[in-house]
Amino acid sequence: MLIAGNWKMFRGPDPAELAGLSAVVCPPFTRLRDCVDVGLTTYAQNVHWEPEGAYTGEISAPMLLELGVVGTLVGHSERRQYFGETDETVAKRVRAALDAGLRVIACIGETQEQREADETEDVLRRQLSVLAPHPDLLLAYEPVWAIGTGLTATPAIAEDAHRIVKSVLDRPVLYGGSAKPENVEELFGEPDVDGALVGGASLVVDTFAAICALAAAAAR
Ligand code: PGA
């Protein structure tokens, strides 16, 4: 089981209070060094595909590695929804990050509209079609309708989606979308749920620690 905390554009908790937790943290860029310094397994929330260049507002894999960052999220639905991220740019970011030696959690998932139109499987297949298996690539299934909404996919919905994902790309799959201590235990009981990508609940030390403890208890 892998637990990753996505702090998004929140300052987040004091990294020192998380020291010792067996989890990945994805803080905003300005807090990366603080997290690295206390020994946390630290991932960025995004990365550019070029090592350097005239790309205002972006950051490159070598720059992250220089800081001691060991991985990155790519293709989070908020990047896709608000910042024009496409399957093609996701593919470029993932490839460059892996080539440079970063681990990657690539995020995929359908919107409410797509689920209602019965397009979930097609959407997942399309989003995965640009990715290739790699030992340092993990996936996060994050149904957009469950992110920050308090709605969580039922264990059966998550398991169904994870099974589809693994049939296309056989890599571990984290579940994301309103994951919290009250619902992860059941999710971790599903055979194809390999951990969780936690947003809101990762901003509170006790809550995040509780999720990590439940993951350790469910470890297989
Ligand atoms: P949430 O976010 O746990 O706040 O729903 C998850 C994510 O977006 O990674």
Side-chain angles (χ1 to χ4, degrees):
M1 289 286 164
L2 179 83
I3 303 301
N6 174 14
W7 297 5
K8 310 192 177 188
M9 201 176 73
F10 293 99
R11 190 159 188 282
D14 176 359
E17 289 190 49
L18 300 174
L21 280 185
S22 164
V24 165
V25 290
C26 314
F29 292 128
T30 51
R31 304 219 80 195
L32 289 170
R33 185 183 293 282
D34 292 343
C35 290
V36 169
D37 282 350
V38 298
L40 291 167
T41 305
T42 306
Y43 283 28
Q45 296 176 12
N46 197 14
V47 68
H48 197 261
W49 50 87
E50 292 294 340
E52 63 177 7
Y55 300 104
T56 303
E58 293 282 332
I59 193 145
S60 75
M63 292 168 182
L64 292 170
L65 287 160
E66 192 182 10
L67 268 184
V69 171
V70 294
T72 185
L73 302 178
V74 176
H76 190 279
S77 66
E78 287 150 16
R79 302 294 321 163
R80 297 177 190 258
Q81 274 181 291
Y82 307 135
F83 301 101
E85 194 78 67
T86 64
D87 293 336
E88 287 64 40
T89 55
V90 167
K92 286 164 84 167
R93 293 182 200 275
V94 168
R95 210 172 310 121
L98 291 170
D99 286 351
L102 285 172
R103 295 176 220 149
V104 171
I105 299 174
C107 306
I108 54 174
E110 82 288 359
T111 62
Q112 175 80 44
E113 215 175 29
Q114 291 164 333
R115 173 157 288 270
E116 281 167 7
D118 211 13
E119 292 169 3
T120 300
E121 179 161 355
D122 290 346
V123 170
L124 295 177
R125 286 183 180 281
R126 191 199 72 225
Q127 291 173 334
L128 290 165
S129 67
V130 296
L131 304 176
H134 186 288
D136 290 331
L137 174 63
L138 299 184
L139 303 166
Y141 168 63
E142 298 205 302
V144 177
W145 47 272
I147 294 178
T149 57
L151 294 172
T152 316
T154 62
I157 288 179
E159 174 61 18
D160 271 358
H162 286 216
R163 214 175 314 113
I164 292 167
V165 171
K166 288 185 184 184
S167 74
V168 181
L169 196 58
D170 192 16
R171 297 298 304 144
V173 185
L174 313 183
Y175 168 78
S178 300
K180 42 186 182 257
E182 298 75 43
N183 58 32
V184 290
E185 201 168 3
E186 248 193 327
L187 287 159
F188 293 160
E190 295 295 337
D192 292 300
V193 174
D194 303 306
L197 179 54
V198 184
S202 73
L203 297 172
V204 179
V205 174
D206 289 351
T207 315
F208 192 55
I211 293 173
C212 294
L214 289 164
R220 38 165 209 271

